[in-house]
Amino acid sequence: MSHENEENKVRYRRTQSVTRAEEITKKESKQRRSQPDKPCHQPRDSLFSWSSGFNNFTGLVNWGFLLLTMGGFRLVLENFIKYGIRVDPVQWFVVLTGRNEGEGHPSLLLIFYSIVPILICLIVEKGLAADILMESAGMIVHVINIVVLVLIPMVVIHVKGQTFSLVGAMTVCFIYCILFLKMWSYVQVNLWCRTRYKHRRSRSGRRQSISIAQLQNEREHEQERTSNGNGTIPNKEKDAVPKLVHYPDNLHLKDFFYFLLAPTLCYELNFPRTSRIRKRFLIKRILEVVIGVHIVMGLFQQWMIPSVRNSLVPFSNMDLTKTAERLLKLAIPNHLMWLCFFYLTFHSFLNLMGELLHFSDRNFYSDWWNANNIDTFWRSWNMPVHKWCVRHLYIPVVELGYSKISASVIVFFISAFFHEYLVSVPLKTFKIWAFMGMMAQIPLSTVSKFMEVNYGHRWGNIVVWTSIILGQPLAIMMYYHDYMITNYSDVVA
């Protein structure tokens, strides 16, 4: 509210300094209209002036969209004229199915091996719940198990990298990252539940010495309290209030694997569930996934690959003018692909999984496109990761006594590590461009907030969009250059 008041004051001062329209009284206006010269002028500001109050620019918005459409269509024609039709669904099938991998399909073997750390995690949790393992020993096993989970793809792909396809290596790294985050959440939530469970058990004292007859009487009284007067529990009430799962009854494979497949990174003992599967909704999401994959692959094959290849020589020669031209040309297909990938992943695929698993929390994204600063963007565009960071990293770090700024830096550091992990490990080029790009979000956040506070929400939003549109293609050009220098230096020379 204070920010809006300041803006209104600024606009009022501008109006006073530009025109005397407000100084002309209604009485003077009436006197002018009564004159025989038939006056046609009245105090009005130009439409583009802040003081005019005019805000209907629908025609200009339509003009902008039409201009962008025509420019995009021209780029499409230029691409087809220059490179021909490069879209080949057969190559998509070869790449996505891993037929160009070495013997034994190492990517599939690593994916199947991920069951081992999952089982180790569940066995340790059962041992801790039954007091077979000491708390400290169990936590040490958990830490080693989760850390080794992340290190396995790094070591195996580095040693046997020539047998992995790029898509296979990226899939393995992505799955192992998801497992790392989910297992962290699973261990931490069970630790919270176990601590409360043992605390309650210690307070109850020697309640285990109660006789069987007393337990039966307590159960009968419990049934009488929930009965409908006839000694029976009504079926409607049973259906309306589902029975909650309590610790340690959740420690079994069915519950754990449901969480691993559910479209969330944060574990709960009782997830919100839907009562049925909506068939029309499910069919729509399936069609979107199938069509979306083809659109993304087609854009990548027809538009992205030629643009990235053409950027290699100017980038290697440090020709700033041509590099800037290549960057801007690459930004358009890259951004279009990113938008398609966002919709395909966060709306189509995650809703598809949620519908199949009766998972009713579908808050996978917020209105990130309206973000006025970088912080708001990172809090809204990927809600599963944001919830995990807040619940399992930010709040625990703050509760340990660290400041909120330190906790935010730690969150960005962990995020930067996994961004680098997902790029460098499959490419086998251990650089730090993605890491530096994520850490650069901290000072960029300060810039976007400065623009938002001093120049308005619109300029803060422009900074956000600029970082998205230009940051990603710049990182792609860097990694492609380093990958070609590392593996095909003779070609580049």
Side-chain angles (χ1 to χ4, degrees):
M1 292 295 293
S2 61
H3 184 67
E4 292 179 358
N5 292 333
E6 291 178 1
E7 286 187 351
N8 291 334
K9 290 180 181 178
V10 172
R11 292 180 183 178
Y12 180 69
R13 287 197 297 269
R14 288 176 180 172
T15 305
Q16 282 186 326
S17 63
V18 171
T19 178
R20 293 184 64 253
E22 288 79 11
E23 298 178 6
I24 301 177
T25 62
K26 293 182 179 179
K27 185 177 180 180
E28 291 174 335
S29 178
K30 290 181 180 179
Q31 289 177 350
R32 290 183 65 254
R33 286 198 299 268
S34 64
Q35 297 299 314
D37 58 349
K38 298 181 181 180
C40 61
H41 299 286
Q42 60 180 341
R44 287 175 293 190
D45 292 326
S46 300
L47 294 184
F48 287 146
S49 301
W50 285 104
S51 54
S52 68
F54 182 79
N55 57 7
N56 185 9
F57 296 99
T58 304
L60 291 179
V61 173
N62 293 336
W63 165 79
F65 274 111
L66 181 61
L67 199 63
L68 286 173
T69 302
M70 293 171 63
F73 187 68
R74 186 200 68 80
L75 290 175
V76 171
L77 289 177
E78 179 187 6
N79 181 273
F80 279 119
I81 293 172
K82 189 173 182 180
Y83 303 108
I85 299 177
R86 301 173 60 89
V87 178
D88 186 2
V90 176
Q91 291 186 7
W92 306 353
F93 179 78
V94 172
V95 171
L96 295 178
T97 56
R99 288 180 58 184
N100 56 343
E101 279 197 343
E103 296 182 0
H105 292 281
S107 299
L108 291 178
L109 293 178
L110 276 182
I111 292 174
F112 286 128
Y113 175 79
S114 64
I115 299 176
V116 174
I118 292 172
L119 294 177
I120 292 174
C121 180
L122 182 60
I123 292 171
V124 172
E125 281 298 326
K126 283 181 170 290
L128 289 170
D131 291 330
I132 298 174
L133 284 175
M134 294 179 60
E135 191 71 30
S136 58
M139 288 297 106
I140 291 174
V141 175
H142 275 317
V143 170
I144 294 174
N145 186 36
I146 293 176
V147 171
V148 171
L149 176 72
V150 177
L151 294 178
I152 285 175
M154 296 176 63
V155 175
V156 176
I157 294 175
H158 180 70
V159 175
K160 299 289 185 180
Q162 67 278 2
T163 62
F164 282 85
S165 66
L166 181 59
V167 173
M170 292 179 65
T171 303
V172 168
C173 291
F174 182 77
I175 290 176
Y176 272 65
C177 281
I178 297 297
L179 286 178
F180 173 88
L181 299 176
K182 291 203 173 197
M183 287 172 62
W184 181 319
S185 178
Y186 187 78
V187 170
Q188 197 166 21
V189 170
N190 279 303
L191 173 62
W192 298 337
C193 296
R194 185 166 58 253
T195 302
R196 187 175 181 181
Y197 174 75
K198 290 184 177 180
H199 179 67
R200 285 184 172 183
R201 193 169 60 178
S202 63
R203 290 182 60 185
S204 63
R206 296 183 173 270
R207 191 167 182 176
Q208 295 178 352
S209 61
I210 298 177
S211 63
I212 297 177
Q214 289 175 321
L215 288 175
Q216 290 178 348
N217 290 332
E218 287 183 3
R219 290 175 181 172
E220 291 175 358
H221 288 306
E222 189 73 25
Q223 290 178 356
E224 289 177 359
R225 285 196 297 268
T226 58
S227 65
N228 61 355
N230 297 325
T232 59
I233 301 175
N235 291 329
K236 291 183 179 179
E237 194 170 334
K238 280 185 178 180
D239 296 335
V241 184
K243 184 178 179 181
L244 295 179
V245 176
H246 299 281
Y247 184 86
D249 297 334
N250 63 306
L251 301 178
H252 52 80
L253 276 175
K254 182 180 178 181
D255 177 87
F256 197 8
F257 275 105
Y258 177 85
F259 167 58
L260 294 177
L261 294 175
T264 180
L265 299 174
C266 296
Y267 176 67
E268 293 179 10
L269 274 68
N270 300 276
F271 289 108
R273 305 288 293 272
T274 58
S275 59
R276 65 185 182 89
I277 295 178
R278 297 169 291 177
K279 294 181 180 179
R280 288 186 178 180
F281 183 86
L282 184 65
I283 293 173
K284 288 180 180 179
R285 301 291 82 80
I286 292 174
L287 291 175
E288 286 176 355
V289 169
V290 174
I291 296 173
V293 168
H294 284 76
I295 291 175
V296 170
M297 293 296 293
L299 285 173
F300 184 78
Q301 197 173 29
Q302 181 69 39
W303 208 348
M304 279 285 290
I305 293 178
S307 298
V308 173
R309 286 178 176 173
N310 291 337
S311 68
L312 179 61
V313 175
F315 198 80
S316 300
N317 297 334
M318 294 304 294
D319 188 339
L320 297 181
T321 303
K322 290 185 178 180
T323 299
E325 188 269 336
R326 291 287 102 185
L327 175 65
L328 294 175
K329 192 171 184 179
L330 178 61
I332 297 175
N334 173 80
H335 188 63
L336 185 59
M337 270 193 60
W338 183 79
L339 291 175
C340 293
F341 184 78
F342 165 79
Y343 186 88
L344 176 64
T345 303
F346 290 94
H347 185 76
S348 302
F349 180 73
L350 292 183
N351 268 298
L352 171 63
M353 294 300 297
E355 197 69 21
L356 289 173
L357 296 172
H358 295 270
F359 189 85
S360 63
D361 184 4
R362 308 294 174 83
N363 185 27
F364 304 128
Y365 55 90
S366 187
D367 59 334
W368 56 265
W369 47 87
N370 293 324
N372 298 320
N373 55 69
I374 297 297
D375 286 355
T376 304
F377 168 76
W378 287 111
R379 286 196 300 266
S380 55
W381 97 276
N382 188 339
M383 294 304 295
V385 171
H386 170 68
K387 291 177 184 177
W388 186 94
C389 290
V390 172
R391 187 190 192 206
H392 296 290
L393 200 57
Y394 182 84
I395 293 178
V397 169
V398 172
E399 290 177 347
L400 289 175
Y402 293 91
S403 65
K404 293 182 178 180
I405 296 177
S406 300
S408 299
V409 172
I410 292 174
V411 169
F412 272 105
F413 183 86
I414 299 296
S415 178
F417 168 79
F418 280 107
H419 276 78
E420 189 64 51
Y421 180 89
L422 290 172
V423 179
S424 291
V425 175
L427 292 177
K428 299 180 289 293
T429 56
F430 295 95
K431 305 296 180 180
I432 57 171
W433 305 127
F435 181 87
M436 291 177 63
M438 279 302 301
M439 296 306 294
Q441 300 300 303
I442 298 175
L444 188 59
S445 172
T446 304
V447 174
S448 64
K449 288 181 179 177
F450 174 83
M451 298 295 292
E452 178 188 8
V453 172
N454 292 276
Y455 299 98
H457 301 301
R458 181 177 300 173
W459 281 100
N461 184 255
I462 289 174
V463 173
V464 173
W465 276 112
T466 303
S467 66
I468 297 172
I469 295 173
L470 297 181
Q472 294 174 1
L474 180 60
I476 291 173
M477 289 169 61
M478 290 178 174
Y479 277 105
Y480 181 70
H481 171 266
D482 294 338
Y483 180 78
M484 293 299 293
I485 292 295
T486 303
N487 298 280
Y488 306 99
S489 57
D490 53 340
V491 177
V492 177

